[in-house]
Amino acid sequence: MVAEANVSKQDLQRQRTLQTLRTVFMPLGQLILFIIGSAVVLGLIVVVVAFFLSRSDPKIMQTAIAILPQVMIDGMVRGFLFATIALGYTMVYGVLEFINFAHGEIFMVGGFVGAGVAYLLMQWGLLSTLPWLVFVVIALVVGMTVSGLLAMATERVAYRPLRNSPRLVPLISAIGMSLVLQDVVRLIATSSPLGFNARFETPNFGKPFQIASIPLGERAIPVQISPKAVIFIVAALLMLLALNYLVNATRLGKAIRAVAQDRATASLMGINVNQIISLTFLIGGALGGAAGVLFGMNIGTVNPYMGFIPGLKAFTAAVLGGIGNITGAMVGGIVLGFLEAFVASYLSLFTGGAFSGASYADIAAFSILILILIFRPEGLLGESTTQKV
């Protein structure tokens, strides 16, 4: 009997382990499928359009095919940016059903903190000699800590007193906090050596990785990805896995899900609701801060207003994937990133230069938001819900 009990316990433990692994790693498979699917669908659309346009200009097809691999890589990198910011929106909405429109500024603060860390290391003469991996880890840890604590403080000051108010009231408070954070950072930045447009200094990450070289007439177009972009993608995937593990396989995650489902019942079961909500803001803010550090590292400069447009696009990505769904936030970001990259690269080519693709990429993003809200408000991976009465 004892042996049978031990065997059953082992089987139960094995089943729990397999379930945890499935829960944590299954979203990675979904994400890879959406990356491949988005690239294939948009690539086919490009080929079909280029085929019809090539009747009047044969070079269009050749150019469209030649730049296609690089456009896919750029779209994936851009998508992971939106996805990483969208995770913070999803965390907060999943618990409070509230859109934290100050999250874009939390992202911006992370970028400035990373730039400040880089500036201090440069002043101390350590930046050029520091291994790039150590620099990335230091910048991420400091940026995530400051941004997470700032998000938690924002919740305590601007949102908690309004928690039982009509939904429009905390929304207005979030917009107000966004403006306040922009101006506070602007005041600090312009009064410091960083300045308004702060340079994000980094160690030498090495040359871009050349994946292929595609011939186009007498020249060849390189297909490459920078080491910083690779770091961005790897960090985003690790954050997705860590967040899925936290939410689905830990006691804290169970408490977060309980508060998200029913705050009153969770409180009766002994869960400190205020503490869980604060920790949710801390985690969401830390993710936003990490995105800000990685974004600043890739772009090379940061400014107090850089969080507004990426924040709105990340919100679009969260809605597209299914707001409140962690995997959906990543999927929405990837799809949106691919769409923007394709519009930015091909609109000018297909219209003969009449329209600048880079200028119309934003229109494509917000058009998607409108269409999703009209035809599928629950998003790609979201579930339709009914209002309880």
Side-chain angles (χ1 to χ4, degrees):
M1 294 292 292
V2 175
E4 292 179 358
N6 289 334
V7 170
S8 63
K9 286 182 179 179
Q10 290 176 359
D11 290 340
L12 182 61
Q13 184 64 34
R14 191 180 299 111
Q15 290 176 2
R16 288 178 178 174
T17 303
L18 290 174
Q19 180 63 31
T20 300
L21 291 174
R22 192 180 300 113
T23 302
V24 171
F25 287 98
M26 186 180 293
L28 192 60
Q30 290 179 302
L31 188 62
I32 292 173
L33 287 176
F34 269 93
I35 290 174
I36 296 172
S38 300
V40 169
V41 170
L42 290 172
L44 287 174
I45 293 173
V46 164
V47 170
V48 170
V49 174
F51 173 75
F52 285 106
L53 294 177
S54 63
R55 297 178 180 178
S56 58
D57 185 359
K59 291 183 178 180
I60 289 181
M61 174 63 83
Q62 187 180 10
T63 304
I65 296 297
I67 66 174
L68 184 59
Q70 188 64 54
V71 172
M72 289 182 177
I73 292 174
D74 294 341
M76 185 169 60
V77 175
R78 188 182 301 206
F80 274 107
L81 165 66
F82 299 147
T84 312
I85 307 173
L87 287 175
Y89 279 114
T90 292
M91 281 293 294
V92 173
Y93 185 86
V95 174
L96 291 178
E97 295 188 352
F98 158 68
I99 303 299
N100 179 18
F101 276 116
H103 187 67
E105 278 55 54
I106 302 296
F107 156 81
M108 174 269 295
V109 168
F112 258 100
V113 171
V117 169
Y119 176 80
L120 289 176
L121 291 174
M122 185 177 65
Q123 291 297 108
W124 296 338
L126 299 175
L127 188 63
S128 58
T129 59
L130 203 65
W132 62 264
L133 182 59
V134 176
F135 168 76
V136 170
V137 170
I138 292 174
L140 281 175
V141 169
V142 178
M144 291 174 73
T145 302
V146 173
S147 296
L149 293 175
L150 178 61
M152 192 163 60
T154 300
E155 185 274 332
R156 183 66 183 86
V157 172
Y159 305 147
R160 187 179 298 182
L162 304 174
R163 193 174 295 165
N164 297 320
S165 302
R167 291 190 177 185
L168 185 61
V169 177
L171 180 64
I172 294 172
S173 179
I175 295 172
M177 281 304 303
S178 171
L179 299 175
V180 168
L181 290 174
Q182 285 180 6
D183 281 340
V184 168
V185 173
R186 178 179 60 83
L187 177 63
I188 295 173
T190 52
S191 304
S192 71
L194 288 174
F196 184 86
N197 288 301
R199 287 182 57 82
F200 200 122
E201 304 288 349
T202 61
N204 184 15
F205 284 87
K207 296 180 180 179
F209 303 114
Q210 183 150 333
I211 301 171
S213 182
I214 300 177
L216 181 62
E218 298 180 354
R219 60 191 179 93
I221 297 179
V223 180
Q224 57 189 18
I225 183 170
S226 70
K228 295 178 182 179
V230 174
I231 293 170
F232 204 146
I233 293 172
V234 172
L237 291 175
L238 290 176
M239 282 189 275
L240 171 64
L241 294 176
L243 190 59
N244 267 297
Y245 177 78
L246 174 71
V247 172
N248 295 297
T250 65
R251 291 185 64 185
L252 174 60
K254 187 179 293 186
I256 290 174
R257 285 182 282 127
V259 172
Q261 186 171 5
D262 193 326
R263 267 181 271 169
T265 303
S267 178
L268 292 173
M269 298 299 292
I271 297 174
N272 188 330
V273 173
N274 286 332
Q275 185 181 64
I276 294 300
I277 290 175
S278 293
L279 288 174
T280 302
F281 271 86
L282 175 68
I283 295 167
L287 293 172
V293 171
L294 295 169
F295 177 77
M297 199 180 298
N298 275 271
I299 299 302
T301 60
V302 292
N303 68 71
Y305 301 112
M306 76 173 195
F308 181 69
I309 294 298
L312 284 180
K313 290 181 180 179
F315 168 66
T316 303
V319 173
L320 175 60
I323 193 160
N325 186 310
I326 294 173
T327 308
M330 295 292 288
V331 166
I334 293 297
V335 173
L336 185 63
F338 272 119
L339 180 66
E340 279 205 6
F342 274 77
V343 171
S345 300
Y346 285 109
L347 184 61
S348 179
L349 175 65
F350 289 161
T351 59
F355 297 97
S356 171
S359 302
Y360 285 87
D362 292 345
I363 294 177
F366 296 118
S367 297
I368 285 293
L369 175 61
I370 294 170
L371 292 174
I372 286 294
L373 291 175
I374 292 174
F375 295 106
R376 189 174 171 82
E378 65 272 19
L380 295 173
L381 299 184
E383 298 178 357
S384 57
T385 58
T386 55
Q387 183 70 33
K388 292 185 290 185
V389 294

